[in-house]
Amino acid sequence: MNKQRVLFLCTHNSARSQMAEGSLRSMAGHRFEVASAGTEATGVHPLAIRAMADVGIDISRQASKTVDTLLEQPWDHVITVCDRANERCPAFPKTTRRLHWSFSDPTQATGSTDDRLNVFRRVRDEIRARLTDWLETTSVERRGGISMDVVRLAEKFGKFNDAWSPKVVGEVNGMHVKVVKLRGEFVWHHHEREDELFLVVHGRLKMQLRDGDRELGPGELIIVPRGVEHCPRALTEEVHVLLLEPAGTLNTGNVQNERTVAELERI
């Protein structure tokens, strides 16, 4: 599948555009090539890095750069995320779609470090919400030119062997359809904003909950509401599960460890 190319622009390429770049790559990197730039370049803001790390997205290796260095490249979408960048945005080819999303500048926040970090987190969440809406729109726009293929779950499960690493096999209304293999026990965690649907395809699963466990077999599903702490555990040697959850949902939720998968593979 040919990926569309998206460029986010803000003034200094230090916070808003960097968070937008990292967010879209995490939410739909299988569909888009993503970059960011600024009318000036000052470096990635440390609090932007911390705010994104809170949701399991590492932007510490992203670089601040000026838009001049990217003008010769083809872009399907150029999205300005601050008013000043929108006013000073250079001309792109007519085939490039221009969008403007206005977010307040978190680098102008005052107060303690925690106060300022909370502003970065708020803007991060606003960007993510806008991206979620936009992804739904672009899915509708491209529907006329996309084939509706049958997804054969047995074939998909046969393509990988690693456990606890979800793979994206489809998307619907801003939701990712994922498949994952489970072995042993996962980690206790919860999701602040996302509900999750677990459908067992093969094996037996115990969903451990603080108010009592639930056991599932093939053809049975459970929906874990947002905020509910849970810990999946395989009761058989291996369990195959289909997941349905909002794009960008981190598999370990509020916990970050060696099982955290920030960049999802599409198969």
Side-chain angles (χ1 to χ4, degrees), residues 6-8 10 12-27 33-37 41-46 48-50 52-53 56-66 127 131 262-263:
V6 180
L7 176 64
F8 291 102
C10 68
H12 299 112
N13 193 212
S14 65
R16 287 163 289 184
S17 55
Q18 295 285 356
M19 291 193 291
E21 176 186 349
S23 295
L24 181 58
R25 185 175 292 116
S26 173
M27 296 168 72
E33 289 185 22
V34 192
S36 66
T42 59
V44 185
H45 199 289
I49 295 173
R50 285 183 58 182
M52 296 300 288
I57 300 174
D58 182 9
I59 64 170
S60 63
R61 291 186 290 274
Q62 292 179 192
S64 182
K65 49 199 170 294
T66 61
I127 290 171
L131 283 170
E263 300 290 338

Side-chain angles (χ1 to χ4, degrees), residues 53-95:
D54 286 347
V55 292
I57 300 174
D58 182 9
I59 64 170
S60 63
R61 291 186 290 274
Q62 292 179 192
S64 182
K65 49 199 170 294
T66 61
V67 65
D68 299 355
T69 63
L70 302 174
L71 283 176
E72 300 302 316
Q73 298 185 29
W75 300 101
D76 297 292
H77 307 273
V78 172
I79 303 174
T80 50
V81 292
C82 79
D83 295 335
R84 186 178 174 193
N86 184 47
E87 294 169 359
R88 299 174 60 186
C89 185
F92 284 85
K94 291 183 178 180
T95 53

Side-chain angles (χ1 to χ4, degrees), residues 207-253:
M207 185 60 71
Q208 300 176 109
L209 302 165
R210 295 305 188 187
D211 67 349
D213 302 338
R214 315 288 196 272
E215 292 192 11
L216 300 85
E220 297 178 326
L221 65 83
I222 186 170
I223 298 172
V224 180
R226 66 196 70 183
V228 174
E229 196 174 20
H230 58 288
C231 178
R233 178 183 175 187
L235 293 178
T236 50
E237 183 176 353
E238 185 170 273
V239 183
H240 296 178
V241 173
L242 182 143
L243 300 170
L244 181 64
E245 52 197 13
T249 300
L250 194 65
N251 65 322
T252 54

Side-chain angles (χ1 to χ4, degrees), residues 7 24 37 58 63 93 101 104 117 119 129 139 146 173-175 180 184 200-201 204 213 221 254:
L7 176 64
L24 181 58
D58 182 9
W101 301 340
S104 59
L117 179 58
V119 175
S139 293
I146 192 169
N173 297 326
M175 307 283 284
V180 63
V200 176
V201 177
R204 293 199 63 80
D213 302 338
L221 65 83
N254 64 315

